[in-house]
Amino acid sequence: MKFVSYSIDGALSYGVLSDFEDFIWDLPSIQQKYESPKLPESLLEGIKMGESFMDAVKDALEFGQTQDDCSSFKISLEKVAFAAPIPRPGKNIMCVGKNYRDHAIELGSEADIPSHIMMFTKAPTTVIGHEGLIDCHSDVTSELDYEGELAVVIGKEGKNIRRDHALEHVFGYTIVNDITARDLQSRHKQFFIGKSLDTFCPMGPSITHASMIEDPGQLKITTTVNGEVRQQSDTSHFIFPIDEIISELSKGMTLEPGDIIATGTPAGVGKGFKPPRFLKSGDEIVIEIENIGILKNKVK
């Protein structure tokens, strides 16, 4: 299943993409006709329910699909404004820095390839959805950059998680564009401010449930800017694979359902070109990850 959050006339809702991804099954609409089991009011609340949420969704969809008036549960994609699947995360988004060897080199040299996982975070207020507009913040930065990334959504609480059990704690996977103000990043000698301006974390369009992804370490990832391919790689090139990231993060720190971990970006970011090719107003960034989806946003 692929879960989405969206608004219609300003009212936020959530649902499941149809098998051909041509419409959305609106879960709250089904709930109005189907009283049991009870569905939560948001996708985040559902993720916190654990496996019982998936069972409830499957039952609700089966009910909805067999009703004579099932068309009332179907929402056309043209009618919705996509929100991020988790529109307002409960915590900062956790991000892995320099998790592709070629990206570490393009921003430095062989000496910049990390031997231990590098982590930073982005504020929850950075999050916008698919087709949302990225604020160029021209009064703050002149070096706006993109970073296409696979993101992990935690579905099961854990602390000191063993690496061989780490993927059992994943609810699903989504796409993140780790927008960065490179000049702020350099000026402040750390990542948080340059990564945390409003709209700097486009996310979505959906969360693909973990059961649909056989191996998250074997997914093609491509980023284009105005139709030009800038990043093209595969998650098999991770320096630190997802199970190791989860295990390391959980050492002494509890990971909770709804936590989001961005896994790093491959080479091809704007700063890596000579001369750099930073984003400007009107640019469109499209990130596609195999079996996950396509995240599209423009700079306003």
Side-chain angles (χ1 to χ4, degrees), residues 105-109 146 230 268-278:
I105 292 172
E106 76 171 342
L107 294 186
S109 67
Y146 55 87
R230 296 282 186 89
V269 299
K271 184 177 174 64
F273 287 91
K274 300 186 186 312
R277 302 176 69 182
F278 295 120

Side-chain angles (χ1 to χ4, degrees), residues 18-225:
S18 64
D19 290 344
F20 293 102
E21 300 187 20
D22 52 351
F23 66 87
I24 299 165
W25 289 102
D26 186 67
L27 292 175
S29 294
I30 296 175
Q31 179 75 82
Q32 290 177 8
K33 296 283 185 70
Y34 184 50
E35 295 300 327
S36 180
K38 185 70 174 176
L39 291 168
E41 293 185 1
S42 70
L43 179 53
L44 178 56
E45 290 178 18
I47 293 170
K48 291 178 179 179
M49 286 173 58
E51 286 303 316
S52 64
F53 173 60
M54 292 300 296
D55 293 337
V57 170
K58 290 174 184 176
D59 289 346
L61 288 176
E62 184 176 347
F63 169 82
Q65 291 164 358
T66 58
Q67 299 306 295
D68 292 336
D69 62 345
C70 67
S71 60
S72 64
F73 308 141
K74 299 178 180 180
I75 306 295
S76 169
L77 300 185
E78 287 73 28
K79 292 183 178 180
V80 308
F82 281 94
I86 301 177
R88 182 61 182 266
K91 297 179 182 175
N92 283 12
I93 297 92
M94 294 173 275
C95 307
V96 183
K98 299 181 180 179
N99 200 25
Y100 289 79
R101 184 176 182 274
D102 54 359
H103 175 58
I105 292 172
E106 76 171 342
L107 294 186
S109 67
E110 293 272 354
D112 293 286
I113 299 171
S115 55
H116 298 283
I117 295 174
M118 294 177 58
M119 297 300 306
F120 60 92
T121 67
K122 297 172 77 80
T125 46
T126 59
V127 173
I128 60 173
H130 171 62
E131 297 183 340
L133 294 176
I134 300 165
D135 190 336
C136 66
H137 293 284
S138 58
D139 58 332
V140 177
T141 178
S142 59
E143 297 185 359
L144 194 70
D145 211 346
Y146 55 87
E147 295 189 6
E149 308 194 15
L150 175 70
V152 177
V153 180
I154 296 296
K156 178 183 175 183
E157 183 176 301
K159 182 179 178 180
N160 301 322
I161 299 168
R162 282 173 40 187
R163 188 170 172 179
D164 58 343
H165 288 291
L167 295 186
E168 298 171 13
H169 291 259
V170 176
F171 175 80
Y173 303 92
T174 189
I175 304 171
V176 157
N177 189 347
D178 177 20
I179 298 293
T180 306
R182 297 296 183 190
D183 42 3
L184 296 185
Q185 187 179 18
S186 298
R187 186 182 309 154
H188 293 279
K189 308 302 180 185
Q190 46 76 51
F191 291 4
F192 181 71
I193 294 177
K195 300 277 191 175
S196 287
L197 302 187
D198 290 355
T199 73
F200 270 23
C201 191
M203 184 186 302
S206 63
I207 295 175
T208 302
H209 191 259
S211 61
M212 296 181 66
I213 304 299
E214 183 175 349
D215 183 358
Q218 297 285 338
L219 302 175
K220 294 180 177 62
I221 178 170
T222 303
T223 302
T224 64
V225 178

Side-chain angles (χ1 to χ4, degrees), residues 96 99 117 119 163 238 240-250 255 261-263:
V96 183
N99 200 25
I117 295 174
M119 297 300 306
R163 188 170 172 179
F238 282 159
F240 306 103
I242 290 170
D243 56 354
E244 184 177 358
I245 293 168
I246 292 172
S247 181
E248 284 295 315
L249 274 176
S250 73
L255 297 181
I261 306 168
T263 57

